[in-house]
Amino acid sequence: MKDERSIIARYGDLVSNPQEFFDACSRPLPTTGWINPCKPRVSGDFPSDASREKMSWNQDGFKTESPLNEGILADFLTGRLVFQEESAMTSVHLMDLQPGQKILDLCAAPGNKTAQLSTRLGESGMVIANDISKARLGVLHGTIDRLGLANVATTAYDARYFPIPEELFDFVLADVPCSCEGTSRKHPGVLSRNNADERKRLVRNQIDILERALLCVRPGGSVIYSTCTYAPEENEQVVHRVLERLPKGFSCDLLPVVIPGLITSPGLTSWNGEVFDSSMSNCARIWPHQNDTGGFFLAVLRRSPAAFEAASSLLPSFHEPISTSEWPWKLHAFEQNDLLPWRRTQFSNKYDRLVGAQCVPPATLAVQSIGMTGLNLKSDHPKFSTALATKIGHLARSAWAEIKSESTLDYWNRQTVPYISSLAPVENTKTVIVRCGGLSLGLGSISPLARSLESRFPKVWGGLQIAERIHQIRST
Ligand SMILES: C[S@@+](CC[C@H](N)C(=O)[O-])C[C@H]1O[C@@H](n2cnc3c(N)ncnc32)[C@H](O)[C@@H]1O
């Protein structure tokens, strides 16, 4: 096992106070995350916000010292909260996203940045979330449903060969695979895994992925290149190599990275005797001791806007609202206007999908999934999914039941709980949308005589083994 301290020792000369850097690296990382701006809390009586401190630079971001409480669990399970390391949240904040834009996330899994992109676009636009690993894409699909992201489509290409579409993207995120040194506060063993051959392989991939990203972005659009490592070989040196070998007639600028409220250091202009382009100081490094975070690197490469046309004029006017006759069950509970932002598509034979109106991937892409899980079409009556219930359940005008906040942990733990009020389910089904204090929690089946509700919450949701988490909460 390598001496981990000696691996980061080589960065001591790059920071103004090496001891503070080394000390920060040996402290555990605070728990941080952000609140989904697309799923505001209507009202609610969960204990929650008191334990959360706002971030200085990110209005949706929070830090907490007690991640295991009922309020945070409620927000997590209803898709209102995402846990994400603070420095990793910055890449997406560098994009000045406008409604209707099309974004490519080339190395997207497990999907926290995809989720940021999607929610910052609101219900508009489209995010293509690509990752070479289908297993890791599976985690991303869980996040899509938990957060209710209807404007994301996923693909599984090797980013180095991602098919360049005719209509290029407004932004491309290249959050590349790297040696992850900056995550050592969270994953202490990560430093000892690094070796020279692995680094060479990573660097070759990083250069190829960044080059591909530049070919996929429209003139005037930007590529964000980010890593969670300190290694200059994977950061400034990669950006420098790519700028050196741009194809003829292709130019781009490195834009200054500024994040008001967050302390950053400029990118290096030399390393190991090699001098880089002076514009490399426009990149940003986030060191752990500066803001009590992990380590991160950011570069923004803007493709020269010579042939730029307003993105909005290129947007297809594709809008096919869902009609109540198409989606028979339970729509009695909704009004047509509730469903206007989406289209539906039958992507697999079990569930249909709810898809953002502007989420129209290029026909040349082999899409793995599009939008979020909608209705289960396999049962006798097409059934709601938990994803759909947590997204639009608060709008239902019938077929709902309200439970008390003290019953929520039992509900999530798949127990039968009492309900306090309900509005009749439709047709002959007993299935209802389960609500508590303005939040829509999922689905259940009611027995009106006993005034009880059988939970139909999934055993695993958003990657969390629910029973385990509830057990932890109850024993603290
Ligand atoms: C740093 S992680 C991305 C984290 C992600 N952006 C997020 O915020 O959740 C890098 C990802 O790149 C993927 N990857 C590695 N090589 C790739 C390639 N050649 N093409 C596409 N994805 C690749 C890995 O599977 C991994 O999920």
Side-chain angles (χ1 to χ4, degrees):
M1 176 125 161
K2 285 188 199 167
D3 173 10
E4 300 196 341
R5 188 65 171 246
S6 72
I7 292 166
I8 52 171
R10 71 179 191 137
Y11 304 126
D13 292 344
L14 303 181
V15 291
S16 52
N17 190 333
Q19 199 52 50
E20 278 185 19
F21 166 56
F22 297 135
D23 289 348
C25 288
S26 51
R27 281 197 302 270
L29 203 57
T31 299
T32 54
W34 50 274
I35 302 296
N36 178 356
C38 294
K39 273 194 177 178
R41 288 181 79 161
V42 188
S43 64
D45 49 1
F46 292 100
S48 64
D49 291 315
S51 64
R52 295 181 214 168
E53 186 194 324
K54 287 214 162 198
M55 273 176 196
S56 53
W57 62 278
N58 172 0
Q59 60 168 5
D60 298 322
F62 69 87
K63 300 183 189 206
T64 179
E65 283 177 7
S66 56
L68 270 186
N69 75 41
E70 201 180 323
I72 287 185
L73 183 74
D75 280 346
F76 178 85
L77 294 180
T78 55
R80 280 163 179 77
L81 180 150
V82 176
F83 290 111
Q84 187 178 18
E85 198 284 304
E86 182 170 358
S87 66
M89 296 178 200
T90 52
S91 331
V92 171
H93 276 258
L94 298 180
M95 303 181 193
D96 175 24
L97 295 178
Q98 302 298 323
Q101 286 186 324
K102 293 184 162 42
I103 322 292
L104 172 61
D105 187 354
L106 269 176
C107 303
N112 284 335
K113 296 184 189 76
T114 301
Q116 284 180 285
L117 288 166
S118 163
T119 55
R120 287 169 73 91
L121 282 173
E123 294 294 350
S124 79
M126 172 177 70
V127 182
I128 300 287
N130 177 73
D131 201 282
I132 199 167
S133 160
K134 287 196 178 162
R136 286 170 67 91
L137 274 182
V139 181
L140 175 69
H141 294 152
T143 302
I144 287 174
D145 280 355
R146 187 173 63 83
L147 300 187
L149 311 177
N151 58 358
V152 179
T154 63
T155 57
Y157 292 101
D158 183 331
R160 297 173 296 171
Y161 312 109
F162 188 88
I164 299 164
E166 221 164 89
E167 190 189 324
L168 299 172
F169 293 93
D170 296 292
F171 287 97
V172 178
L173 176 60
D175 186 44
V176 293
C178 70
S179 53
C180 301
E181 292 168 347
T183 67
S184 69
R185 295 181 69 186
K186 192 169 161 202
H187 305 294
V190 77
L191 294 172
S192 53
R193 290 208 299 265
N194 288 344
N195 65 59
D197 286 345
E198 173 62 4
R199 176 152 288 151
K200 275 191 198 149
R201 192 190 65 79
L202 282 170
V203 168
R204 275 198 304 273
N205 275 348
Q206 290 158 348
I207 291 175
D208 288 350
I209 292 174
L210 179 53
E211 283 184 342
R212 200 62 172 184
L214 283 167
L215 292 173
C216 290
V217 80
R218 68 167 165 81
S222 295
V223 170
I224 315 295
Y225 176 82
S226 57
T227 74
C228 53
T229 191
Y230 310 114
E233 297 88 336
E234 301 177 52
N235 294 330
E236 291 88 347
Q237 209 164 45
V238 165
V239 177
H240 180 76
R241 291 277 175 276
V242 169
L243 292 182
E244 264 182 343
R245 28 188 265 198
L246 285 178
K248 217 169 166 234
F250 194 107
S251 68
C252 64
D253 309 308
L254 265 180
L255 300 185
V257 174
V258 184
I259 307 171
L262 194 74
I263 305 168
T264 59
S265 299
L268 308 180
T269 49
S270 65
W271 168 254
N272 259 357
E274 182 177 2
V275 176
F276 305 136
D277 192 293
S278 60
S279 66
M280 215 57 69
S281 61
N282 283 344
C283 304
R285 289 178 157 261
I286 301 174
W287 297 97
H289 58 291
Q290 293 176 313
N291 311 276
D292 197 15
T293 63
F296 214 68
F297 173 83
L298 297 154
V300 180
L301 297 91
R302 188 181 57 161
R303 190 169 166 184
S304 298
F308 173 69
E309 283 176 70
S312 54
S313 68
L314 301 175
L315 281 177
S317 55
F318 193 111
H319 196 211
E320 215 179 78
I322 299 164
S323 92
T324 42
S325 58
E326 264 185 290
W327 217 4
W329 183 82
K330 304 12 168 196
L331 281 187
H332 307 274
F334 294 93
E335 287 183 2
Q336 186 67 57
N337 279 350
D338 299 338
L339 304 161
L340 270 183
W342 306 295
R343 297 176 293 129
R344 67 181 280 261
T345 172
Q346 196 166 341
F347 196 75
S348 70
N349 60 6
K350 183 165 181 192
Y351 285 98
D352 74 354
R353 316 281 303 170
L354 192 73
V355 185
Q358 292 168 329
C359 186
V360 188
T364 45
L365 292 185
V367 169
Q368 302 286 312
S369 104
I370 183 163
M372 57 175 283
T373 306
L375 293 178
N376 176 344
L377 302 170
K378 270 245 165 115
S379 62
D380 298 342
H381 297 287
K383 281 189 196 147
F384 252 63
S385 59
T386 300
L388 199 55
T390 54
K391 185 174 178 77
I392 60 174
H394 61 286
L395 300 173
R397 287 153 182 84
S398 64
W400 55 263
E402 178 88 12
I403 63 172
K404 286 188 176 166
S405 62
E406 49 264 39
S407 303
T408 51
L409 286 185
D410 286 333
Y411 167 75
W412 283 317
N413 205 10
R414 299 165 58 82
Q415 314 287 308
T416 296
V417 296
Y419 63 87
I420 44 178
S421 56
S422 74
L423 241 167
V426 291
E427 294 163 15
N428 295 324
T429 172
K430 293 175 177 171
T431 306
V432 288
I433 287 162
V434 182
R435 291 175 177 171
C436 177
L439 291 181
S440 175
L441 309 183
L443 298 169
S445 309
I446 56 170
S447 305
L449 272 182
R451 280 189 87 73
S452 67
L453 180 146
E454 195 185 315
S455 169
R456 300 237 314 269
F457 200 72
K459 281 187 195 144
V460 177
W461 182 237
L464 202 80
Q465 298 278 348
I466 311 296
E468 218 171 84
R469 180 54 64 104
I470 287 173
H471 176 71
Q472 284 171 333
I473 289 180
R474 287 195 156 141
S475 51
T476 48

